[in-house]
Structures are given as C-alpha cells and as structure tokens.
Amino acid sequence: MKLYEFQAKNILKKYDVCVPRGEAISDSNEASGIFHKIDCKRCVIKAQVLAGGRGKSGGIQFATTPPEAQSYAAGMLGTRLVTRQTDQKGIEIKYVLIEDAVSVKKEWYLSITIDRSLQTPVLIVSAEGGVEIEEVAKRMPDKIIKEPLDVFSGLHPFQARRIATKLNISGILSTRLTNLVTNLFNAFIKNDCSLLEINPLAVMEDDELCALDAKMDIDDNALYRHPEFSKEIMAILNQDLSPSEVLARKHRLSYISLDGNIGCLVNGAGLAMATMDIIKLHGGEPANFLDVGGDASVEQVTQAVKIILSDPKVKAVLINIFGGIMKCDVIASGIIQAIKEVGIHIPLVVRLEGTNVDIARKMLDDSGLNVISAIDMKEAAGMVVKAVKG
C-alpha cells in the first residue's frame, strides 16, 4: 500500500521527524486560508499523486501570495498529471499539499528499504539529493552509501560514524542525522514498511534536518495489524483504484489490470509471471495479473473469477494452477461457484496440476460447464490464444 506524501508526513511527525508546516486540501478555495494558517512568506503547492517526477511535469509550484496559491491549486485539482512514471493518460490530482517553502542549505537522499539478498532492512544515504536515486547510481555510484540495519537494534554507532565520515560531516549535524535515522527506522519497523524514502532531505541553515518529501510503502499483508490506519486513509487511497482493484484488496488478492484480452488466474507470483510470458510467446496479450496465493479459500477464488469476468476487455480466461499448498479442488469449487453466480459466455481454459487434481477435474466434468482442459502450460497458452483469435 503506497501512501500519499501528506499521509506519510503525518505519520512521520508522530516519530519526531521534522517536516514543513503544511496541509493537504481537495478544494482550491481552501488554499488562501492554508497560506495564512502556516504563516509563511513563500509556499509550495505539490500535486499528490502516487508517481515520481512531479516537479518536471508541473506538479510542484511556488507561490508568494494567497491568491497565487489558490490559482495554482485550482490549476492542478481535477486535472491529470503525466510524468515519466505514469501512462499517457496520467493520474488525476485529487489533493494538493500546501507547505512552507523552507530555506535549504543542501539536499540529501535518505531511504530505508528491504534488501532481499541480505534479508534485512538497508539504509541508503547520498549527498546527491533532490534527483532520482537511479540516476545517481548510474552516474556516480560512489556517492551512494549503503548500510544494512539490524532488525532489532537498527543503526549501530560504528555505522553512524562511517556514514558521517563519507558525508564529511561532524558535530551536531552528525548527531542529528543519527537521531533522524533512528526515528525513521522506528517508523519503518512499527508500520511494517517495505520502503520509507526521504528525497530530498533538507539540511537547513541552522543544520536542522527536514523531510521535504516522503514516500511510504506498507506491506499489504501486514495491514490487519494496523487498525490505526483509519477508514479515512483507506478511503482516500481507494479513490485511485478501480472497483476491481478495491474488491481484490478487500479479499487479499494480488491483482493488476493490464491492456490485453486474456484473463489470467494463477496461484503464486512466479507462476503468474510465467503464465503471462507464455501467453505473449504464443501471440496473446494478458488482461491482468491475478495471484490468488498459495492458501486461498473458495470465497477468494470465487471473487477472483468474478473480478476477471467483470473486465469487458476479457475475451477468454486461462486458469493455471499448480497445487502444492493450494488444493486443486478448492480452485474447482471457486470456478463452479463464480460461474453459477455470474455466468460465462467466453472461452475458459483450465490447466490444473498437483494436490487433489483428479478430484478437481471430476468436479469440473460433472459441473456441466464448457471448460477447455489443458495438460500443460504450453498447451493451455496455445488453446486460450487460439480461442481469442478464432
């Protein structure tokens, strides 16, 4: 779950992380009042979209008067912002964040994420802040500092000293950086984050450190542990999702809509990617990524089939299941239940293998459904592509 910048900053403030004074709005008429409320000489108006590259696309503007702030807010809200991280349609701007434009001496990059090879959180710091870290990695890899973090104790003193040396800082600034990392690490762990990124991290004139931007990604599988994420936060986030994506999130299904016309229902992310690849190899186009996971219930499978069939682009469906932990008869039950509820008028290709596969095949045969059975992935992909083109 990706949070908007203003949502991430509201959380960071609870961990004593300095952020500029500001407030998010969805009505441009409130902009003048916010300008007065934060009592600043100059403010920044920032489009709240879940994509990077806002500044280069007109999504960040500066204003020196309340009318100017209101004008910029009105010009953003309701429009679609296109950046290098969006498609050509862009993302609708439903909120803007109005903040004090603080005076900055220098900008750093700082983030905590998961290093899957080390199986531990890792701290990434760079003196080259305010730009995409990928560009820094390409042009100046020596400018990127990485330190693995102990999941229980966080940043060790010797690591803090090593970072300070590489950044060529000392004294109060070094102490403040160490304290900031400690606070960010606490926020990262306690909120089950997979990414917490501050870019840029401002070094201000008095050597205070201030998070000018914030990205926070939270592990969807841990949301049940966080009742503090109110319905309001979830409602705001769900506004950017399609009804199918909202339904998938409700039933804990991994679903991403694509542009093709072959619906895919698979268990396991790796098998889902392989299924989409083999469809492409046979000349077809997948309409979605949908992983029901390794321990889905009949209800989850039923909802997954309904989600696929609700997409008007879908002209055929491929269900590809390898039953290890997942039992094939559970998949069969979900297929039968969903089709009985919503009906199906497009080709359905099913490839099942693994636990209880014989029971599942008999269930499908006895159901009276018009199911095209396949023995392996290659045959299944060929059948579903042929069904669409035929």
Side-chain angles (χ1 to χ4, degrees):
M1 181 178 75
K2 298 179 185 294
L3 299 186
Y4 284 116
E5 175 188 359
F6 73 90
Q7 293 173 321
K9 285 180 172 177
N10 286 340
I11 292 174
L12 291 181
K13 285 189 285 188
K14 298 177 183 177
Y15 292 87
D16 294 326
V17 175
C18 174
V19 301
R21 299 189 308 277
E23 193 169 320
I25 61 171
S26 57
D27 184 347
S28 61
N29 292 323
E30 300 175 16
S32 295
I34 300 301
F35 189 100
H36 290 295
K37 183 177 178 180
I38 61 179
D39 190 25
C40 63
K41 295 181 179 179
R42 184 169 177 255
C43 77
V44 56
I45 299 92
K46 308 171 78 173
Q48 297 297 283
V49 294
L50 300 177
R54 294 174 298 173
K56 296 179 180 178
S57 305
I60 297 178
Q61 301 290 344
F62 292 89
T64 54
T65 64
E68 192 177 13
Q70 183 165 331
S71 175
Y72 281 129
M76 290 184 191
L77 287 168
T79 65
R80 303 188 73 87
L81 185 68
V82 179
T83 78
R84 59 178 181 77
Q85 292 186 5
T86 70
D87 58 23
Q88 294 181 348
K89 295 186 296 184
I91 302 175
E92 183 181 356
I93 303 171
K94 298 179 180 178
Y95 298 89
V96 296
L97 175 61
I98 301 178
E99 286 186 329
D100 182 11
V102 300
S103 179
V104 176
K105 184 164 61 173
K106 63 178 71 171
E107 294 181 346
W108 290 342
Y109 172 94
L110 191 152
S111 71
I112 302 174
T113 188
I114 302 294
D115 188 317
R116 298 192 182 278
S117 62
L118 296 176
Q119 299 182 6
T120 189
V122 62
L123 172 68
I124 303 174
V125 184
S126 176
E128 302 296 322
V131 297
E132 293 84 357
I133 195 64
E134 295 83 2
E135 291 299 316
V136 178
K138 288 179 183 178
R139 295 185 289 104
M140 299 173 288
D142 56 308
K143 295 288 187 180
I144 296 178
I145 305 165
K146 292 184 179 181
E147 290 288 344
L149 300 176
D150 186 288
V151 72
F152 297 107
S153 58
L155 187 71
H156 292 295
F158 76 89
Q159 293 177 301
R161 291 192 295 270
R162 186 156 60 197
I163 292 171
T165 300
K166 291 181 178 180
L167 290 176
N168 194 27
I169 61 174
S170 60
I172 188 64
L173 185 54
S174 175
T175 300
R176 285 173 175 168
L177 179 60
T178 301
N179 292 338
L180 174 66
V181 171
T182 299
N183 293 340
L184 290 175
F185 180 75
N186 288 336
F188 182 90
I189 294 296
K190 291 180 180 178
N191 290 280
D192 287 294
C193 295
S194 57
L195 172 69
L196 178 49
E197 181 182 77
I198 310 298
N199 187 29
L201 171 65
V203 182
M204 302 170 71
E205 296 298 333
D206 58 359
D207 282 344
E208 284 285 354
L209 297 175
C210 183
L212 298 191
D213 195 2
K215 291 182 181 178
M216 183 178 283
D217 294 358
I218 296 169
D219 186 350
D220 287 345
N221 295 311
L223 287 178
Y224 73 95
R225 294 200 296 225
H226 295 283
E228 71 274 16
F229 294 144
S230 65
K231 291 182 179 180
E232 180 182 359
I233 289 180
M234 299 304 295
I236 289 173
L237 294 171
N238 285 343
Q239 288 180 1
D240 288 332
L241 302 178
S242 67
S244 294
E245 289 169 327
V246 173
L247 185 61
R249 175 172 284 179
K250 176 182 177 182
H251 292 280
R252 299 180 65 188
L253 299 169
S254 297
Y255 172 81
I256 300 172
S257 178
L258 302 173
D259 295 329
N261 56 12
I262 297 176
C264 304
L265 189 156
V266 190
N267 67 317
L271 184 59
M273 297 297 291
T275 300
M276 292 192 294
D277 285 345
I278 202 167
I279 287 173
K280 294 277 288 186
L281 185 64
H282 281 76
E285 293 292 337
N288 63 271
F289 171 102
L290 200 163
D291 170 20
V292 297
D295 59 348
S297 64
V298 173
E299 174 63 17
Q300 285 178 299
V301 175
T302 302
Q303 295 300 329
V305 176
K306 287 182 178 180
I307 288 170
I308 292 175
L309 295 179
S310 69
D311 186 345
K313 303 191 307 295
V314 172
K315 305 303 179 186
V317 178
L318 171 57
I319 296 177
N320 184 19
I321 299 297
F322 180 79
I325 300 173
M326 167 64 72
K327 294 179 176 62
C328 292
D329 57 315
V330 172
I331 295 293
S333 296
I335 295 171
I336 295 167
Q337 182 172 318
I339 292 176
K340 284 183 176 178
E341 291 182 22
V342 302
I344 186 169
H345 305 287
I346 57 177
L348 172 63
V349 178
V350 178
R351 180 258 181 173
L352 301 173
E353 193 58 70
T355 306
N356 292 350
V357 65
D358 293 333
I359 298 173
R361 287 171 179 166
K362 187 175 188 307
M363 290 172 64
L364 291 174
D365 290 341
D366 294 344
S367 69
L369 298 176
N370 185 18
V371 175
I372 304 171
S373 296
I375 301 300
D376 55 31
M377 284 178 59
K378 182 178 180 181
E379 183 181 42
M383 285 178 170
V384 77
V385 172
K386 183 178 179 180
V388 169
K389 293 184 176 180

